[in-house]
Amino acid sequence: MSLLRENPKLLEAFRRGEPEALTRVYQAYSAHVARFLSRTYVSHGPGGLARVGPLDLEAAHQETFVRAFREQARLAYDGVRPFSSWLNAVARQAAVDVLRAAGRIAREAVPLDDTLMAERLASNAPSPEDRALEVETRELVTRFLAGLDEPTRRLADLRFVQGLSQERAGQVLGLSRQELRTRENKLRRAMTTFLVEEGWLTPESPDTVPSAAATAAVLALLFPHFVP
């Protein structure tokens, strides 16, 4: 994605902090940041490698954009390197600070740079923590799907397990794209409720639920083919 590099006027508006430009950038990169945070090891330290869990995802996601939209940060982006890569670096540091504040990593933990990340992913087998998380998420998905009615379970399978596009899934199910979107939105809300009940997400108050970005990222973690 190269939204700002390909649009000099938008880049300048972003640097000036114009609300419409910030909104457009947020909408374009929100899902990217959520997926990055949910899938990436962000630090290393005395406790080993660490990444953002579902309970801290929303806080890290929000903190990323708070930092990225500060004047000093906006002016620091040169418009040359991919904005997504620049934003990843901001997200990684934001995530480390959120995890530190929550007491989930040691104060000595430091962000992983891209080189360490590449070496780790290229050379190491999945850690015991990775395998445990995979087992847990598989069990979570199984329980969620088991609680759905047959048509909704079929939709979840086509869209999130098999990875079909909305158009193709609609054709298989005999639904218009709008009908499919309506059912898919209902499915996402049900998933959010399920994750809260299971303790994977914590609402800010009894009357609120995590943002769409957090829900999308957790769905992406649980369903590898999920694309918001």
Side-chain angles (χ1 to χ4, degrees):
M1 185 183 297
S2 54
L3 179 68
L4 293 178
R5 289 197 300 170
E6 295 177 354
N7 193 330
K9 290 184 178 179
L10 179 60
L11 174 59
E12 290 305 312
F14 170 76
R15 285 174 169 164
R16 290 192 297 268
E18 295 181 7
E20 290 185 2
L22 298 183
T23 297
R24 186 172 175 185
V25 169
Y26 177 85
Q27 292 174 340
Y29 290 93
S30 177
H32 165 82
V33 169
R35 285 193 294 270
F36 173 81
L37 289 170
S38 69
R39 297 176 177 180
T40 303
Y41 285 94
V42 297
S43 72
H44 65 93
L49 294 166
R51 62 183 171 193
V52 179
L55 296 180
D56 300 301
L57 180 59
E58 177 66 7
H61 182 271
Q62 291 181 353
E63 182 64 18
T64 296
F65 284 97
V66 167
R67 297 185 183 193
F69 287 173
R70 288 172 181 163
E71 181 178 14
Q72 184 176 1
R74 298 195 316 269
L75 295 177
Y77 176 62
D78 56 16
V80 176
R81 67 180 296 192
F83 186 72
S84 58
S85 298
W86 180 86
L87 200 55
N88 288 350
V90 176
R92 184 177 288 115
Q93 184 60 64
V96 169
D97 291 341
V98 166
L99 293 176
R100 281 175 179 159
R104 304 196 196 285
I105 59 174
R107 305 297 300 180
E108 296 82 2
V110 297
L112 277 169
D113 61 30
D114 293 336
T115 301
L116 288 173
M117 183 73 65
E119 291 176 352
R120 196 271 172 189
L121 294 178
S123 61
N124 289 4
S127 68
E129 292 79 9
D130 287 338
R131 290 191 289 271
L133 178 62
E134 181 179 356
V135 171
E136 185 176 358
T137 54
R138 286 181 182 276
E139 292 176 349
L140 193 71
V141 170
T142 298
R143 292 200 304 274
F144 174 66
L145 294 178
L148 300 176
D149 58 49
E150 182 57 33
T152 307
R153 187 160 52 246
R154 177 64 170 155
L155 169 62
D157 176 65
L158 292 173
R159 284 285 289 132
F160 304 142
V161 179
Q162 297 185 38
L164 270 61
S165 66
Q166 286 187 338
E167 181 178 5
R168 178 57 182 150
Q171 292 174 350
V172 173
L173 297 172
L175 301 173
S176 68
R177 189 158 188 177
Q178 183 57 51
E179 289 173 328
L180 187 136
R181 285 176 175 172
T182 298
R183 295 192 185 187
E184 189 171 307
N185 287 336
K186 183 178 179 181
L187 174 62
R188 294 187 194 183
R189 289 194 296 270
M191 185 63 167
T192 299
T193 299
F194 176 78
L195 292 171
V196 170
E197 292 174 347
E198 291 288 322
W200 274 60
L201 292 177
T202 302
E204 297 176 357
S205 73
D207 298 323
T208 62
V209 295
S211 74
T215 304
V218 175
L219 282 168
L221 178 64
L222 300 180
F223 300 108
H225 296 292
F226 172 72
V227 178

